[in-house]
Each structure stands twice: as structure tokens, then as C-alpha cells.
Amino acid sequence: MKWFKQTVFYEIYIKSFADGNGDGIGDFPGLTERLDYLAELGIGGIWLTPFYPSMQVDNGYDVSDYCAVDPLYGTLADFKVFLAEAKKREIRVVIDMVLNHTAINHRWFTEHPDYYIWKERPNNWTSFFGGSAFQFDEKREQYYYHSFAKEQADLNWANPAVKEEIKQVLKFWLALGVDGFRFDVINNLTLDLAFPDNPVDELGEVLHKFDKDQPGIDGVMAELAAFCRDLRPDVFLVGEISSDELPEIARYSRPELLDVTFNFNFGSIETFTPEKLFQELVAMEKALPDGQMPTLFFGSHDMGRSFSRLAGQNLPLAELLAFIILTARGVPFIYNGEEAGMTDLTFADVSEMADIQGIMAYEQAVGKGETKQEALFAANQKTRDKARGPMIFADGKAFSATGKAWLKQNQEPEEKVHAIFAYYQELLAFRKAAAYVTEPYTSLQLKEACLTYQRGNYYFVANFSERWQMTAPPNGRLVFGQEEQGGIAPLSGAIYLMEEENENCK
Ligand code: NOJ
């Protein structure tokens, strides 16, 4: 069986995780020092956000050199030490690959302009960060296409030389020993090269129709996947699909394409209800091709922190959300700090923000004539900085020994941090020892805000309701959680092992 099916992943936003040299920015030496913390927590894999040299316009998602380490984070030698130390602790390492675009200071942009997409005139396509997706280049007197910031020029995947260059990049990292890749906005690689205008909705919003999921995308993805698997048969490939349409997300999860894809309908919902959760679990089961697993996550560096956004800062609810991602069928991704109950940051001034998305929201609001206060509100809504604050460790160690931090930090009550960490740790240890992880559901139900499912011999109860629920199944022995007289408390989870009836003892 492929190892990823049993692995709990942990996303590390490198800039905010652990600062080894005291400059206020996370780095590899800091991260390596915290591997024991991760081993103690009990995760099995890391997804590391981009650490390559970058213009830092989009915090590393604007790559200037795919085969090096940004000096902000250390050296390639530091990366190798980190990788070796992770392996010693049986922690796999999956790195982020941003193949849709490079930074405009990547040498390719000047040396190989044909690796990019040039137009005499822009059409109506908009960048995913807002505004036109075309930028005029004075030297060339043409526009280049950028589906994100203007410093992130899209690569031209219709040019076979681009594919060959990228294969060398993948080979470089696989040869160093990484265990897999998280492919950034991977369904955006192909475009409708006739560049028809995108449709516009009733609100005047330009839709993304011809700038993603275009013919040829399956072929490109399959070629990259096969290339990686030839070099490393057990490589793990997880795709970020820029879409909130489940069928679109699910169709890229196929043996010849990606192992799993992120479903944002599950992970980045704005508000939580047990009904929504249940519907999405059911929908994922239906939408995914046979044998493919969903991903399960409630946070990432691109959305508000689940402790604030979904749990309303309610500790038992946050624990119950952890219970879901660690016991439902799927590949879980914990976002760093979730296990410490970290909360959203809010900013008193736009100058405190670093995320381009928040800053652009501010500028656009001001441009529309909104007051500074209104613009700040819009920016606080949009900024992904809210989830990118320096890490809080349950072992009491600080993000940076000097107390410096590149972004504002929240203080979190120690008691909460310890309680939620202990819950994750206990459940992760239970999950490792139990035999349900690859079992399908034999039942999946929601009744009175109480979600139950059976997988193999294990029966799970997640009580989202405000009252005690009598939940113990006949022949069930409680193996995780607490119950009293066959019932469990509001906002708590329990696991029962179904005892096989022993013929001789009947
Ligand atoms: C998705 C990444 O998660 C996000 O942080 C980034 O801004 C965009 N892709 C563009 O690379």
C-alpha cells in the first residue's frame, strides 16, 4: 500500500515556523531543531511551503530559482541536514512546486522569453489577486500574462522546453531525497490559447473559464506524474486545484495523475455546520474515483485559522474538528499552529500586513472611494496574513529566541495551547496504533447533529450537538474519548471497537 494513505501531514509555513538565527524569519536550522517537537506530536509527513530564492512578493510563491534555497531560510546544506534529520525521525518531506509561474527576476524571463506568454493586447482575463492579468513590458513592448501578481509571470506550458526544464527541477529534488510534491494551482497550466474573453457574471465579476482546466491539462499532469514515478515509484503527488467545484477537483485524483487533491469546499468553508461537513464527506465519497482518497483539512496558509473561523475559539469544537480529520476517511493535513489553537491575527493598519492579497484589497477599496477604515476592514477580511503569524509551540519555546518576528504575533493562553496539543497527540498516537486508517466507511450518518461512521471494526461518534448523546453501539467497547453510562458529552468525540461475537462464549 502507498505510504501516504496512512500518513498524517503537517503543513509548515517556513517563514513563520522556527527562527534559528534570530532575525525574526523562520529558517531551516530553526525547523530542524523543532523536528523533535513534530515527532512528539506524532505526524508522519511535512508539506513545506516554498523556500526557494524569491522576490517575496507572494512569500515564496514567486520563485526566482527552482534549485536553490533562499538565503532568508539558510543554504542547500541546511536543507539537506533538515531532510536527513526528518528521515531519522521517520517524517517524510513533501515540497511545494510552483510550476504555473515564476518570479519575473527568474533568469528564464530574460534569457528565454518564449517560456512565457506574450500578447499584443490584453483581453479581459483577471488575475486571481484582482486586476488585469496582463502587464506591459517596456523592453518587449508586449504584455505578459500573470494569473497572480504582476511579478509572477505565467510559464508557457505549450512550449515543450518548459516541460523539459521543469522535469530537471523535479529530478533535482527527487535525487536529494524528497518524498513528494505539492503542486501549486496545477490545473492552471494550460490555457485557451485563442484567448477568448472570459464570461462575466451579473455582478460584473470576470469568471475563470478559459484560463484553467483547458484541453491538454490531463496530458501535462500525467507526463509530470509519470516522470516523477519513474524516478521514484512511491513519490507522493498532491495537487492544489484552483476550483471549488468538487467534480473538477476530484477528476484530477486518478492513478495516472495525482494521488490526492485538496477540496476547498471541505477545508476553507467560512462557517461550520455539522450538516455541511456531513454533506461534503458524502459528496467526496461519491465524486472520487474508486480507491482514491479525499484530503481532510480545515486550515492552510491561504485561509483564516480554523480555531477562529470554524471553532469560534471554542476549544471542544476545535478538538472535535481535529477528531474529524484524524478519523474520517482521507489524508489529513494539519496546518502548523492548529495543534496550539492559534487564532487569527487582525491588523490595525495596512502597513502591518505583508500579504499581497490583503494589500491589494486595501488599494482596490481606496480606489473605489471607500474610507480608510472601510478599506482596512476589507483588507483584514482578505489578508492571508491572519493565519501566517509566528508559530506558538506547546513546549513553551518561542518562535525566535530574540523575540523578533517578521509578522505580528498573538499571545495564546498557555492552558489552551497545552490542552489542544495533548488532544492532537493522544489522537495521533491512537490513529497510528489502530487499524481503521485505510478502511472504507460501512456507515456514515448524521442524526441530530451527531455524526457517526463505521470503518472496519471501529465506530466513531462526533457529537456536535449541545446535549449528551447516548451513542454506545451494541458490542462496542470505548477505546478513545470519555463516556458516562453509554453517552458522550456535547462537542466531544468517541471511538468504539466493535467486539467480534465469540461463538464459544455465547
Ligand atoms: C496557491 C498558494 O497556496 C498561494 O499561497 C499562492 O498565492 C498562489 N497559489 C499562487 O502561487
PDB file of all heavy atoms in Angstrom, residues 386-398:
ATOM      1  N   LYS A 386      -3.517  36.648   8.307  1.00  0.00           N
ATOM      2  CA  LYS A 386      -4.222  36.314   9.551  1.00  0.00           C
ATOM      3  C   LYS A 386      -3.828  34.920  10.053  1.00  0.00           C
ATOM      4  O   LYS A 386      -3.864  34.651  11.240  1.00  0.00           O
ATOM      5  CB  LYS A 386      -5.739  36.454   9.397  1.00  0.00           C
ATOM      6  CG  LYS A 386      -6.350  35.632   8.276  1.00  0.00           C
ATOM      7  CD  LYS A 386      -7.858  35.525   8.413  1.00  0.00           C
ATOM      8  CE  LYS A 386      -8.572  36.754   7.941  1.00  0.00           C
ATOM      9  NZ  LYS A 386      -9.184  36.675   6.619  1.00  0.00           N
ATOM     10  N   ALA A 387      -3.442  34.050   9.109  1.00  0.00           N
ATOM     11  CA  ALA A 387      -3.084  32.682   9.502  1.00  0.00           C
ATOM     12  C   ALA A 387      -1.584  32.444   9.420  1.00  0.00           C
ATOM     13  O   ALA A 387      -1.134  31.317   9.502  1.00  0.00           O
ATOM     14  CB  ALA A 387      -3.806  31.692   8.599  1.00  0.00           C
ATOM     15  N   ARG A 388      -0.825  33.515   9.203  1.00  0.00           N
ATOM     16  CA  ARG A 388       0.605  33.323   8.948  1.00  0.00           C
ATOM     17  C   ARG A 388       1.481  33.822  10.093  1.00  0.00           C
ATOM     18  O   ARG A 388       2.671  34.042   9.933  1.00  0.00           O
ATOM     19  CB  ARG A 388       0.990  34.027   7.641  1.00  0.00           C
ATOM     20  CG  ARG A 388       0.282  33.409   6.442  1.00  0.00           C
ATOM     21  CD  ARG A 388       0.574  34.136   5.144  1.00  0.00           C
ATOM     22  NE  ARG A 388      -0.063  33.460   4.024  1.00  0.00           N
ATOM     23  CZ  ARG A 388       0.032  33.847   2.752  1.00  0.00           C
ATOM     24  NH1 ARG A 388       0.734  34.915   2.444  1.00  0.00           N
ATOM     25  NH2 ARG A 388      -0.587  33.174   1.803  1.00  0.00           N
ATOM     26  N   GLY A 389       0.879  34.001  11.240  1.00  0.00           N
ATOM     27  CA  GLY A 389       1.627  34.526  12.389  1.00  0.00           C
ATOM     28  C   GLY A 389       2.670  33.532  12.871  1.00  0.00           C
ATOM     29  O   GLY A 389       2.552  32.327  12.664  1.00  0.00           O
ATOM     30  N   PRO A 390       3.736  34.062  13.503  1.00  0.00           N
ATOM     31  CA  PRO A 390       4.791  33.189  14.022  1.00  0.00           C
ATOM     32  C   PRO A 390       4.238  32.102  14.939  1.00  0.00           C
ATOM     33  O   PRO A 390       3.320  32.332  15.729  1.00  0.00           O
ATOM     34  CB  PRO A 390       5.703  34.160  14.765  1.00  0.00           C
ATOM     35  CG  PRO A 390       5.497  35.449  14.048  1.00  0.00           C
ATOM     36  CD  PRO A 390       4.046  35.476  13.686  1.00  0.00           C
ATOM     37  N   MET A 391       4.826  30.953  14.813  1.00  0.00           N
ATOM     38  CA  MET A 391       4.353  29.736  15.472  1.00  0.00           C
ATOM     39  C   MET A 391       4.408  29.844  16.993  1.00  0.00           C
ATOM     40  O   MET A 391       5.329  30.429  17.561  1.00  0.00           O
ATOM     41  CB  MET A 391       5.255  28.598  14.975  1.00  0.00           C
ATOM     42  CG  MET A 391       4.999  27.255  15.566  1.00  0.00           C
ATOM     43  SD  MET A 391       3.402  26.581  15.027  1.00  0.00           S
ATOM     44  CE  MET A 391       3.324  25.161  16.116  1.00  0.00           C
ATOM     45  N   ILE A 392       3.410  29.241  17.616  1.00  0.00           N
ATOM     46  CA  ILE A 392       3.404  29.117  19.080  1.00  0.00           C
ATOM     47  C   ILE A 392       3.580  27.637  19.397  1.00  0.00           C
ATOM     48  O   ILE A 392       2.821  26.806  18.896  1.00  0.00           O
ATOM     49  CB  ILE A 392       2.089  29.673  19.642  1.00  0.00           C
ATOM     50  CG1 ILE A 392       2.134  31.187  19.477  1.00  0.00           C
ATOM     51  CG2 ILE A 392       1.882  29.266  21.100  1.00  0.00           C
ATOM     52  CD1 ILE A 392       0.884  31.896  19.848  1.00  0.00           C
ATOM     53  N   PHE A 393       4.598  27.324  20.171  1.00  0.00           N
ATOM     54  CA  PHE A 393       4.897  25.920  20.460  1.00  0.00           C
ATOM     55  C   PHE A 393       4.364  25.518  21.831  1.00  0.00           C
ATOM     56  O   PHE A 393       4.511  26.261  22.804  1.00  0.00           O
ATOM     57  CB  PHE A 393       6.406  25.670  20.416  1.00  0.00           C
ATOM     58  CG  PHE A 393       6.964  25.730  19.031  1.00  0.00           C
ATOM     59  CD1 PHE A 393       7.536  26.900  18.545  1.00  0.00           C
ATOM     60  CD2 PHE A 393       6.896  24.624  18.206  1.00  0.00           C
ATOM     61  CE1 PHE A 393       8.041  26.952  17.257  1.00  0.00           C
ATOM     62  CE2 PHE A 393       7.391  24.670  16.915  1.00  0.00           C
ATOM     63  CZ  PHE A 393       7.966  25.837  16.440  1.00  0.00           C
ATOM     64  N   ALA A 394       3.795  24.312  21.855  1.00  0.00           N
ATOM     65  CA  ALA A 394       3.257  23.831  23.116  1.00  0.00           C
ATOM     66  C   ALA A 394       4.359  23.517  24.124  1.00  0.00           C
ATOM     67  O   ALA A 394       4.092  23.416  25.318  1.00  0.00           O
ATOM     68  CB  ALA A 394       2.408  22.582  22.863  1.00  0.00           C
ATOM     69  N   ASP A 395       5.602  23.374  23.645  1.00  0.00           N
ATOM     70  CA  ASP A 395       6.667  23.102  24.622  1.00  0.00           C
ATOM     71  C   ASP A 395       7.212  24.398  25.228  1.00  0.00           C
ATOM     72  O   ASP A 395       8.202  24.400  25.949  1.00  0.00           O
ATOM     73  CB  ASP A 395       7.799  22.265  23.997  1.00  0.00           C
ATOM     74  CG  ASP A 395       8.472  22.967  22.818  1.00  0.00           C
ATOM     75  OD1 ASP A 395       8.213  24.174  22.609  1.00  0.00           O
ATOM     76  OD2 ASP A 395       9.241  22.320  22.106  1.00  0.00           O
ATOM     77  N   GLY A 396       6.551  25.500  24.915  1.00  0.00           N
ATOM     78  CA  GLY A 396       6.887  26.768  25.558  1.00  0.00           C
ATOM     79  C   GLY A 396       8.024  27.516  24.876  1.00  0.00           C
ATOM     80  O   GLY A 396       8.286  28.680  25.184  1.00  0.00           O
ATOM     81  N   LYS A 397       8.709  26.853  23.916  1.00  0.00           N
ATOM     82  CA  LYS A 397       9.814  27.547  23.244  1.00  0.00           C
ATOM     83  C   LYS A 397       9.246  28.590  22.299  1.00  0.00           C
ATOM     84  O   LYS A 397       8.194  28.402  21.701  1.00  0.00           O
ATOM     85  CB  LYS A 397      10.671  26.539  22.475  1.00  0.00           C
ATOM     86  CG  LYS A 397      11.471  25.636  23.396  1.00  0.00           C
ATOM     87  CD  LYS A 397      12.404  24.761  22.587  1.00  0.00           C
ATOM     88  CE  LYS A 397      12.970  23.657  23.443  1.00  0.00           C
ATOM     89  NZ  LYS A 397      13.308  22.472  22.680  1.00  0.00           N
ATOM     90  N   ALA A 398      10.001  29.681  22.144  1.00  0.00           N
ATOM     91  CA  ALA A 398       9.499  30.763  21.297  1.00  0.00           C
ATOM     92  C   ALA A 398       9.849  30.504  19.838  1.00  0.00           C
ATOM     93  O   ALA A 398      10.782  29.748  19.533  1.00  0.00           O
ATOM     94  CB  ALA A 398      10.116  32.070  21.755  1.00  0.00           C
TER      95      ALA A 398
END
